[in-house]
mmCIF file of all heavy atoms in Angstrom:
data_model
loop_
_atom_site.group_PDB
_atom_site.id
_atom_site.type_symbol
_atom_site.label_atom_id
_atom_site.label_comp_id
_atom_site.label_asym_id
_atom_site.label_seq_id
_atom_site.Cartn_x
_atom_site.Cartn_y
_atom_site.Cartn_z
ATOM 1 N N ALA A 594 -51.098 -173.352 -68.251
ATOM 2 C CA ALA A 594 -49.674 -173.709 -68.198
ATOM 3 C C ALA A 594 -48.802 -172.453 -68.266
ATOM 4 O O ALA A 594 -47.783 -172.348 -67.559
ATOM 5 C CB ALA A 594 -49.336 -174.669 -69.336
ATOM 6 N N ASN A 595 -49.183 -171.503 -69.108
ATOM 7 C CA ASN A 595 -48.419 -170.248 -69.216
ATOM 8 C C ASN A 595 -48.456 -169.479 -67.897
ATOM 9 O O ASN A 595 -47.432 -168.931 -67.446
ATOM 10 C CB ASN A 595 -48.970 -169.386 -70.348
ATOM 11 C CG ASN A 595 -48.683 -169.986 -71.718
ATOM 12 O OD1 ASN A 595 -47.751 -170.773 -71.869
ATOM 13 N ND2 ASN A 595 -49.482 -169.613 -72.710
ATOM 14 N N TRP A 596 -49.632 -169.388 -67.269
ATOM 15 C CA TRP A 596 -49.738 -168.681 -66.000
ATOM 16 C C TRP A 596 -48.860 -169.329 -64.934
ATOM 17 O O TRP A 596 -48.231 -168.661 -64.116
ATOM 18 C CB TRP A 596 -51.188 -168.657 -65.532
ATOM 19 C CG TRP A 596 -52.032 -167.623 -66.225
ATOM 20 C CD1 TRP A 596 -51.603 -166.466 -66.800
ATOM 21 C CD2 TRP A 596 -53.432 -167.671 -66.415
ATOM 22 N NE1 TRP A 596 -52.662 -165.780 -67.323
ATOM 23 C CE2 TRP A 596 -53.814 -166.481 -67.111
ATOM 24 C CE3 TRP A 596 -54.431 -168.563 -66.077
ATOM 25 C CZ2 TRP A 596 -55.113 -166.201 -67.465
ATOM 26 C CZ3 TRP A 596 -55.743 -168.296 -66.418
ATOM 27 C CH2 TRP A 596 -56.082 -167.118 -67.110
ATOM 28 N N ARG A 597 -48.844 -170.665 -64.931
ATOM 29 C CA ARG A 597 -48.087 -171.384 -63.900
ATOM 30 C C ARG A 597 -46.579 -171.170 -64.068
ATOM 31 O O ARG A 597 -45.823 -171.269 -63.095
ATOM 32 C CB ARG A 597 -48.411 -172.874 -63.953
ATOM 33 C CG ARG A 597 -49.803 -173.214 -63.413
ATOM 34 C CD ARG A 597 -50.224 -174.644 -63.764
ATOM 35 N NE ARG A 597 -49.277 -175.634 -63.300
ATOM 36 C CZ ARG A 597 -49.215 -176.135 -62.062
ATOM 37 N NH1 ARG A 597 -50.080 -175.693 -61.153
ATOM 38 N NH2 ARG A 597 -48.323 -177.045 -61.732
ATOM 39 N N ARG A 598 -46.142 -170.898 -65.315
ATOM 40 C CA ARG A 598 -44.710 -170.674 -65.556
ATOM 41 C C ARG A 598 -44.277 -169.240 -65.275
ATOM 42 O O ARG A 598 -43.109 -168.960 -65.039
ATOM 43 C CB ARG A 598 -44.369 -171.032 -67.005
ATOM 44 C CG ARG A 598 -44.352 -172.524 -67.293
ATOM 45 C CD ARG A 598 -43.688 -172.787 -68.638
ATOM 46 N NE ARG A 598 -44.416 -172.139 -69.719
ATOM 47 C CZ ARG A 598 -45.359 -172.730 -70.441
ATOM 48 N NH1 ARG A 598 -45.703 -173.985 -70.163
ATOM 49 N NH2 ARG A 598 -45.971 -172.083 -71.413
ATOM 50 N N GLN A 599 -45.231 -168.286 -65.331
ATOM 51 C CA GLN A 599 -44.886 -166.872 -65.187
ATOM 52 C C GLN A 599 -44.645 -166.522 -63.722
ATOM 53 O O GLN A 599 -45.218 -167.122 -62.806
ATOM 54 C CB GLN A 599 -46.006 -165.997 -65.751
ATOM 55 C CG GLN A 599 -46.148 -166.098 -67.263
ATOM 56 C CD GLN A 599 -47.331 -165.289 -67.781
ATOM 57 O OE1 GLN A 599 -48.033 -164.648 -67.017
ATOM 58 N NE2 GLN A 599 -47.531 -165.345 -69.082
ATOM 59 N N THR A 600 -43.822 -165.526 -63.522
ATOM 60 C CA THR A 600 -43.571 -165.004 -62.177
ATOM 61 C C THR A 600 -43.955 -163.536 -62.135
ATOM 62 O O THR A 600 -44.012 -162.863 -63.166
ATOM 63 C CB THR A 600 -42.083 -165.164 -61.813
ATOM 64 O OG1 THR A 600 -41.297 -164.450 -62.777
ATOM 65 C CG2 THR A 600 -41.669 -166.632 -61.792
ATOM 66 N N GLY A 601 -44.219 -163.037 -60.982
ATOM 67 C CA GLY A 601 -44.558 -161.625 -60.836
ATOM 68 C C GLY A 601 -46.042 -161.351 -60.966
ATOM 69 O O GLY A 601 -46.469 -160.207 -60.811
ATOM 70 N N ILE A 602 -46.829 -162.364 -61.301
ATOM 71 C CA ILE A 602 -48.282 -162.185 -61.378
ATOM 72 C C ILE A 602 -48.877 -162.828 -60.135
ATOM 73 O O ILE A 602 -48.656 -164.014 -59.871
ATOM 74 C CB ILE A 602 -48.855 -162.834 -62.647
ATOM 75 C CG1 ILE A 602 -48.244 -162.175 -63.891
ATOM 76 C CG2 ILE A 602 -50.375 -162.713 -62.678
ATOM 77 C CD1 ILE A 602 -48.736 -162.783 -65.195
ATOM 78 N N PRO A 603 -49.651 -162.077 -59.362
ATOM 79 C CA PRO A 603 -50.151 -162.603 -58.079
ATOM 80 C C PRO A 603 -51.312 -163.581 -58.257
ATOM 81 O O PRO A 603 -52.450 -163.326 -57.825
ATOM 82 C CB PRO A 603 -50.601 -161.331 -57.343
ATOM 83 C CG PRO A 603 -51.001 -160.392 -58.443
ATOM 84 C CD PRO A 603 -50.034 -160.660 -59.576
ATOM 85 N N LEU A 604 -51.035 -164.690 -58.930
ATOM 86 C CA LEU A 604 -52.062 -165.706 -59.118
ATOM 87 C C LEU A 604 -51.953 -166.768 -58.032
ATOM 88 O O LEU A 604 -50.851 -167.059 -57.549
ATOM 89 C CB LEU A 604 -51.907 -166.373 -60.484
ATOM 90 C CG LEU A 604 -52.134 -165.494 -61.709
ATOM 91 C CD1 LEU A 604 -51.810 -166.253 -62.991
ATOM 92 C CD2 LEU A 604 -53.580 -165.011 -61.752
ATOM 93 N N ASP A 606 -51.453 -170.260 -56.201
ATOM 94 C CA ASP A 606 -50.596 -171.384 -56.581
ATOM 95 C C ASP A 606 -51.408 -172.541 -57.162
ATOM 96 O O ASP A 606 -50.949 -173.244 -58.060
ATOM 97 C CB ASP A 606 -49.798 -171.868 -55.358
ATOM 98 C CG ASP A 606 -48.781 -170.826 -54.912
ATOM 99 O OD1 ASP A 606 -48.383 -169.996 -55.762
ATOM 100 O OD2 ASP A 606 -48.411 -170.846 -53.729
ATOM 101 N N GLY A 766 -54.044 -160.731 -64.889
ATOM 102 C CA GLY A 766 -52.972 -160.396 -63.931
ATOM 103 C C GLY A 766 -53.177 -159.021 -63.328
ATOM 104 O O GLY A 766 -52.971 -158.822 -62.121
#
Side-chain angles (χ1 to χ4, degrees):
N595 290 337
W596 281 334
R597 287 167 56 82
R598 287 194 299 267
Q599 292 176 1
T600 59
I602 299 179
L604 295 174
D606 292 336

